[in-house]
Amino acid sequence: MESEIEETKEQPHPANERGTFAHHAEAVWDQRKACGPAGFRGLFVSYYATLCAAFAAIGGMVFGYDQGVVSVVLVMEQFLSRFTRVSETASGAGFWKGLLTAMIELGALIGAFNQGWIADMISRKYSIVVAVIIFTVGSIVQTAAVDYAMLIVGRLVGGIGIGMLSMVAPLYISEISPPEIRGALLVLEELSIVSGICVAYWITYGTRYMAGEWAWRLPFLLQMIPSTVLGLGILFLPFSPRWLASKGRDEEALQSLGKLRQLPLTDQRVQQEWFDIRAEVTFHRQTSAMKHPNLQSKSTMNSIKLELVSWADCFRKGCWRRTQVGVGLMFFQQFVGINALIYYSPTLFETMGLNYSMQLIMSGVLNVTQLLGVSTSIWTIDRFGRRPLLLWGSFFMTISHLIIAVFVGKYNKSWSSHRGPGWASAAFLLFYMLSFGATWGPVPWAMPSEIFPSSLRAKGVALSTCSNWFNNFIIGLITPPLVQNTGFGAYTFFAVFCLLSLVWTFFFVPETRGRTLEQMDHVFKDINSEEEEARRNAIEADIIASHHRSKNHASKEH
């Protein structure tokens, strides 16, 4: 199979005159020649798309870096002496500390929600530039903060930029990726997030030994480096061919697709994908016109109304299953307990009887363990699929939480005389992080950007990302009292949600491995009538026939 793929990679296949293209219900490699091998090896064959995706994923590093910085900065003496309101001895410190961490989620929620229409209007590429500018302003304010109010404003503005990046980066990656390696390329977003967490954590772990306020100002300043690189570099990357097609710029979409696939524009695989993209855009545009016939005339008011009803369309027949999957994945990603462990891991290790220095070191090791887990999914997500990873991840995380809950419940008052169970708890915490990193870490960031139709993709991904940030905010609020007041109850709470995630995945999450973005209607069984199927086939046949007529006309003129 792979040798056959290598052969076809070298030889262009002009689109045949009859236009025999893949049936939408089949995986791409069942019905057509692939652009390259699936899995890890495909990353090197389709190296240009891989490089573009890796660069766009720097947005994830910005998001992860901010998470990692806060976890250590909040316990720095240099930071607490400037912002006494969040020190342990201050009245209401818990609230002010919670507000400080919550402002980033509130800002991200605002940013992710609004990035949907921004990415549709000015392109995925330019919306990344806008996000970087907003994030940079927030970073400058945080770095220069002289009081709590200024710091809070900086966190909010920076959060808006982070939310925008966390929404649009996977959206852009999904739309430029070959289907054979789309999962692996989308994993780069989560890999970048966790890398950012690790880098920030160890940077702040080192800067805490610096005298003066640069111990915490420097980490805030350094986060502008990757964001600036992203903002400038993204200008040299190609536009999403699917966004170009949605704007009627079909020839530019073909040029972009050929560049991304590293194949001649006449190659059958490029032509097939181009026709599929145009057919899907036209089909959903016609469907929207049938649903909202009174909003099709060009006017500002109709454009606003159409924008609003298209958000509502995400919850209607033809899309609600996808919205439920996208929002549900992000809900469970937070409620299986991951960010609770990242934010409050030093406190959790304290409950296991570890001293302060060892608490910080083990928190850093936790992040590295998660990074190792995410690294494995670059290969496994396109090799085994999304569903198996989610199901096994839920199972392993449930077991980990339950075992830790037993140890914490039994030895919570006597860790000093029970070092063995303490280290066993730490070991299962590491196993949990490995399991999460390999499964529920990458998949919820990958799937939402690949399951929605082109007309609603930006809005669907925005809703899914908003779910992530909203639930992140809720977890940030409930975890401190949960850990403080219940002890082992925190782990039992998260174990229940890990088990629920397994049941929910089994019944509601379909497999998307190997399908093009244009095949998701069949994956979710949204085209369930012969009339709709015939209409879509007719659209594609008409596009192919029109293309060949114009090509023949051009050849006659020459």
Side-chain angles (χ1 to χ4, degrees), residues 58-84:
I58 293 175
M61 177 171 284
V62 173
F63 162 29
Y65 185 95
D66 186 85
Q67 275 191 322
V69 163
V70 172
S71 64
V72 179
V73 161
L74 281 174
V75 296
M76 277 187 187
E77 289 183 13
Q78 302 93 320
F79 180 81
L80 297 175
S81 63
R82 163 62 71 174
F83 305 104
T84 54

mmCIF file of all heavy atoms in Angstrom, residues 58-84:
data_model
loop_
_atom_site.group_PDB
_atom_site.id
_atom_site.type_symbol
_atom_site.label_atom_id
_atom_site.label_comp_id
_atom_site.label_asym_id
_atom_site.label_seq_id
_atom_site.Cartn_x
_atom_site.Cartn_y
_atom_site.Cartn_z
ATOM 1 N N ILE A 58 1.610 27.229 17.029
ATOM 2 C CA ILE A 58 2.292 28.081 18.010
ATOM 3 C C ILE A 58 1.259 28.807 18.873
ATOM 4 O O ILE A 58 1.519 29.138 20.030
ATOM 5 C CB ILE A 58 3.228 29.097 17.305
ATOM 6 C CG1 ILE A 58 4.395 28.362 16.639
ATOM 7 C CG2 ILE A 58 3.772 30.123 18.295
ATOM 8 C CD1 ILE A 58 5.299 29.263 15.815
ATOM 9 N N GLY A 59 0.059 29.026 18.311
ATOM 10 C CA GLY A 59 -1.030 29.623 19.098
ATOM 11 C C GLY A 59 -1.342 28.811 20.333
ATOM 12 O O GLY A 59 -1.678 29.354 21.393
ATOM 13 N N GLY A 60 -1.222 27.485 20.227
ATOM 14 C CA GLY A 60 -1.434 26.615 21.385
ATOM 15 C C GLY A 60 -0.355 26.801 22.435
ATOM 16 O O GLY A 60 -0.622 26.731 23.645
ATOM 17 N N MET A 61 0.876 27.042 21.983
ATOM 18 C CA MET A 61 1.974 27.265 22.929
ATOM 19 C C MET A 61 1.726 28.523 23.765
ATOM 20 O O MET A 61 2.011 28.541 24.972
ATOM 21 C CB MET A 61 3.302 27.386 22.187
ATOM 22 C CG MET A 61 4.481 27.679 23.093
ATOM 23 S SD MET A 61 6.082 27.577 22.259
ATOM 24 C CE MET A 61 6.281 25.800 22.150
ATOM 25 N N VAL A 62 1.182 29.564 23.131
ATOM 26 C CA VAL A 62 0.861 30.804 23.843
ATOM 27 C C VAL A 62 -0.156 30.525 24.953
ATOM 28 O O VAL A 62 -0.021 30.986 26.093
ATOM 29 C CB VAL A 62 0.319 31.860 22.862
ATOM 30 C CG1 VAL A 62 -0.185 33.089 23.597
ATOM 31 C CG2 VAL A 62 1.400 32.250 21.855
ATOM 32 N N PHE A 63 -1.184 29.751 24.620
ATOM 33 C CA PHE A 63 -2.229 29.361 25.567
ATOM 34 C C PHE A 63 -1.630 28.538 26.716
ATOM 35 O O PHE A 63 -1.850 28.826 27.906
ATOM 36 C CB PHE A 63 -3.300 28.593 24.773
ATOM 37 C CG PHE A 63 -4.243 27.743 25.576
ATOM 38 C CD1 PHE A 63 -4.575 28.050 26.887
ATOM 39 C CD2 PHE A 63 -4.845 26.635 24.978
ATOM 40 C CE1 PHE A 63 -5.474 27.259 27.597
ATOM 41 C CE2 PHE A 63 -5.729 25.848 25.683
ATOM 42 C CZ PHE A 63 -6.037 26.158 27.001
ATOM 43 N N GLY A 64 -0.839 27.529 26.382
ATOM 44 C CA GLY A 64 -0.240 26.666 27.400
ATOM 45 C C GLY A 64 0.755 27.405 28.279
ATOM 46 O O GLY A 64 0.805 27.183 29.498
ATOM 47 N N TYR A 65 1.538 28.291 27.670
ATOM 48 C CA TYR A 65 2.545 29.048 28.419
ATOM 49 C C TYR A 65 1.881 29.854 29.531
ATOM 50 O O TYR A 65 2.377 29.894 30.666
ATOM 51 C CB TYR A 65 3.300 29.979 27.470
ATOM 52 C CG TYR A 65 4.448 30.731 28.115
ATOM 53 C CD1 TYR A 65 5.743 30.253 28.040
ATOM 54 C CD2 TYR A 65 4.224 31.912 28.812
ATOM 55 C CE1 TYR A 65 6.803 30.934 28.631
ATOM 56 C CE2 TYR A 65 5.265 32.601 29.412
ATOM 57 C CZ TYR A 65 6.555 32.112 29.316
ATOM 58 O OH TYR A 65 7.583 32.784 29.923
ATOM 59 N N ASP A 66 0.749 30.491 29.209
ATOM 60 C CA ASP A 66 0.062 31.294 30.212
ATOM 61 C C ASP A 66 -0.396 30.438 31.390
ATOM 62 O O ASP A 66 -0.289 30.845 32.545
ATOM 63 C CB ASP A 66 -1.136 32.002 29.579
ATOM 64 C CG ASP A 66 -1.803 32.962 30.541
ATOM 65 O OD1 ASP A 66 -1.344 34.111 30.642
ATOM 66 O OD2 ASP A 66 -2.765 32.557 31.214
ATOM 67 N N GLN A 67 -0.905 29.242 31.104
ATOM 68 C CA GLN A 67 -1.318 28.325 32.171
ATOM 69 C C GLN A 67 -0.142 27.968 33.072
ATOM 70 O O GLN A 67 -0.257 27.972 34.305
ATOM 71 C CB GLN A 67 -1.894 27.038 31.574
ATOM 72 C CG GLN A 67 -3.357 27.111 31.226
ATOM 73 C CD GLN A 67 -3.908 25.737 30.900
ATOM 74 O OE1 GLN A 67 -3.235 24.917 30.272
ATOM 75 N NE2 GLN A 67 -5.111 25.465 31.311
ATOM 76 N N GLY A 68 0.978 27.633 32.452
ATOM 77 C CA GLY A 68 2.149 27.212 33.211
ATOM 78 C C GLY A 68 2.729 28.316 34.066
ATOM 79 O O GLY A 68 3.187 28.071 35.188
ATOM 80 N N VAL A 69 2.720 29.571 33.550
ATOM 81 C CA VAL A 69 3.258 30.708 34.291
ATOM 82 C C VAL A 69 2.485 30.931 35.586
ATOM 83 O O VAL A 69 3.062 31.083 36.671
ATOM 84 C CB VAL A 69 3.215 31.996 33.425
ATOM 85 C CG1 VAL A 69 3.369 33.238 34.293
ATOM 86 C CG2 VAL A 69 4.327 31.965 32.389
ATOM 87 N N VAL A 70 1.168 30.939 35.492
ATOM 88 C CA VAL A 70 0.330 31.295 36.636
ATOM 89 C C VAL A 70 0.505 30.311 37.787
ATOM 90 O O VAL A 70 0.526 30.707 38.957
ATOM 91 C CB VAL A 70 -1.154 31.376 36.209
ATOM 92 C CG1 VAL A 70 -2.058 31.554 37.414
ATOM 93 C CG2 VAL A 70 -1.346 32.534 35.247
ATOM 94 N N SER A 71 0.652 29.030 37.480
ATOM 95 C CA SER A 71 0.721 28.025 38.539
ATOM 96 C C SER A 71 1.895 28.244 39.486
ATOM 97 O O SER A 71 1.810 27.923 40.670
ATOM 98 C CB SER A 71 0.782 26.612 37.940
ATOM 99 O OG SER A 71 1.965 26.439 37.187
ATOM 100 N N VAL A 72 3.015 28.796 38.993
ATOM 101 C CA VAL A 72 4.177 29.049 39.852
ATOM 102 C C VAL A 72 4.200 30.491 40.361
ATOM 103 O O VAL A 72 4.541 30.745 41.525
ATOM 104 C CB VAL A 72 5.497 28.730 39.112
ATOM 105 C CG1 VAL A 72 6.697 29.014 40.010
ATOM 106 C CG2 VAL A 72 5.524 27.272 38.661
ATOM 107 N N VAL A 73 3.820 31.452 39.493
ATOM 108 C CA VAL A 73 3.845 32.869 39.887
ATOM 109 C C VAL A 73 2.978 33.116 41.127
ATOM 110 O O VAL A 73 3.329 33.916 41.999
ATOM 111 C CB VAL A 73 3.381 33.755 38.706
ATOM 112 C CG1 VAL A 73 2.954 35.136 39.185
ATOM 113 C CG2 VAL A 73 4.500 33.890 37.677
ATOM 114 N N LEU A 74 1.865 32.409 41.232
ATOM 115 C CA LEU A 74 0.945 32.616 42.354
ATOM 116 C C LEU A 74 1.545 32.260 43.714
ATOM 117 O O LEU A 74 0.988 32.637 44.745
ATOM 118 C CB LEU A 74 -0.350 31.818 42.126
ATOM 119 C CG LEU A 74 -1.366 32.440 41.163
ATOM 120 C CD1 LEU A 74 -2.525 31.497 40.919
ATOM 121 C CD2 LEU A 74 -1.869 33.773 41.684
ATOM 122 N N VAL A 75 2.649 31.513 43.726
ATOM 123 C CA VAL A 75 3.276 31.165 45.010
ATOM 124 C C VAL A 75 4.634 31.846 45.180
ATOM 125 O O VAL A 75 5.350 31.569 46.131
ATOM 126 C CB VAL A 75 3.433 29.626 45.161
ATOM 127 C CG1 VAL A 75 2.080 28.956 45.189
ATOM 128 C CG2 VAL A 75 4.296 29.046 44.038
ATOM 129 N N MET A 76 5.004 32.771 44.259
ATOM 130 C CA MET A 76 6.268 33.494 44.361
ATOM 131 C C MET A 76 6.180 34.604 45.416
ATOM 132 O O MET A 76 5.234 35.407 45.398
ATOM 133 C CB MET A 76 6.635 34.142 43.020
ATOM 134 C CG MET A 76 7.324 33.249 42.039
ATOM 135 S SD MET A 76 7.856 34.256 40.629
ATOM 136 C CE MET A 76 8.445 32.975 39.533
ATOM 137 N N GLU A 77 7.165 34.700 46.291
ATOM 138 C CA GLU A 77 7.186 35.769 47.294
ATOM 139 C C GLU A 77 7.297 37.140 46.630
ATOM 140 O O GLU A 77 6.694 38.118 47.094
ATOM 141 C CB GLU A 77 8.364 35.558 48.251
ATOM 142 C CG GLU A 77 8.180 34.381 49.200
ATOM 143 C CD GLU A 77 9.336 34.249 50.176
ATOM 144 O OE1 GLU A 77 10.133 35.213 50.269
ATOM 145 O OE2 GLU A 77 9.455 33.201 50.826
ATOM 146 N N GLN A 78 8.094 37.231 45.546
ATOM 147 C CA GLN A 78 8.280 38.506 44.855
ATOM 148 C C GLN A 78 6.952 39.019 44.281
ATOM 149 O O GLN A 78 6.685 40.218 44.250
ATOM 150 C CB GLN A 78 9.309 38.373 43.723
ATOM 151 C CG GLN A 78 10.678 37.892 44.178
ATOM 152 C CD GLN A 78 10.822 36.384 44.071
ATOM 153 O OE1 GLN A 78 9.880 35.641 44.388
ATOM 154 N NE2 GLN A 78 11.997 35.932 43.637
ATOM 155 N N PHE A 79 6.121 38.089 43.790
ATOM 156 C CA PHE A 79 4.815 38.436 43.241
ATOM 157 C C PHE A 79 3.850 38.827 44.362
ATOM 158 O O PHE A 79 3.126 39.825 44.264
ATOM 159 C CB PHE A 79 4.262 37.247 42.450
ATOM 160 C CG PHE A 79 2.916 37.475 41.823
ATOM 161 C CD1 PHE A 79 2.787 38.161 40.627
ATOM 162 C CD2 PHE A 79 1.757 37.002 42.436
ATOM 163 C CE1 PHE A 79 1.552 38.376 40.045
ATOM 164 C CE2 PHE A 79 0.513 37.201 41.868
ATOM 165 C CZ PHE A 79 0.408 37.891 40.668
ATOM 166 N N LEU A 80 3.844 38.053 45.438
ATOM 167 C CA LEU A 80 2.917 38.289 46.539
ATOM 168 C C LEU A 80 3.227 39.581 47.291
ATOM 169 O O LEU A 80 2.322 40.213 47.847
ATOM 170 C CB LEU A 80 2.942 37.095 47.507
ATOM 171 C CG LEU A 80 2.483 35.750 46.908
ATOM 172 C CD1 LEU A 80 2.666 34.630 47.904
ATOM 173 C CD2 LEU A 80 1.035 35.824 46.447
ATOM 174 N N SER A 81 4.498 39.983 47.292
ATOM 175 C CA SER A 81 4.846 41.248 47.968
ATOM 176 C C SER A 81 4.332 42.450 47.188
ATOM 177 O O SER A 81 4.048 43.504 47.765
ATOM 178 C CB SER A 81 6.363 41.348 48.146
ATOM 179 O OG SER A 81 7.015 41.389 46.892
ATOM 180 N N ARG A 82 4.206 42.322 45.869
ATOM 181 C CA ARG A 82 3.644 43.402 45.053
ATOM 182 C C ARG A 82 2.116 43.360 45.102
ATOM 183 O O ARG A 82 1.451 44.374 45.233
ATOM 184 C CB ARG A 82 4.152 43.279 43.608
ATOM 185 C CG ARG A 82 3.361 44.062 42.568
ATOM 186 C CD ARG A 82 3.368 45.565 42.775
ATOM 187 N NE ARG A 82 4.665 46.166 42.490
ATOM 188 C CZ ARG A 82 4.874 47.476 42.490
ATOM 189 N NH1 ARG A 82 3.876 48.316 42.783
ATOM 190 N NH2 ARG A 82 6.072 47.969 42.242
ATOM 191 N N PHE A 83 1.538 42.176 44.983
ATOM 192 C CA PHE A 83 0.081 42.022 44.974
ATOM 193 C C PHE A 83 -0.344 41.321 46.267
ATOM 194 O O PHE A 83 -0.650 40.121 46.276
ATOM 195 C CB PHE A 83 -0.364 41.236 43.733
ATOM 196 C CG PHE A 83 0.122 41.838 42.447
ATOM 197 C CD1 PHE A 83 1.189 41.268 41.763
ATOM 198 C CD2 PHE A 83 -0.467 42.978 41.926
ATOM 199 C CE1 PHE A 83 1.656 41.825 40.573
ATOM 200 C CE2 PHE A 83 0.003 43.548 40.739
ATOM 201 C CZ PHE A 83 1.061 42.975 40.073
ATOM 202 N N THR A 84 -0.349 42.096 47.345
ATOM 203 C CA THR A 84 -0.617 41.534 48.688
ATOM 204 C C THR A 84 -2.032 40.985 48.813
ATOM 205 O O THR A 84 -2.306 40.168 49.685
ATOM 206 C CB THR A 84 -0.402 42.623 49.750
ATOM 207 O OG1 THR A 84 -1.207 43.772 49.414
ATOM 208 C CG2 THR A 84 1.063 43.045 49.799
#
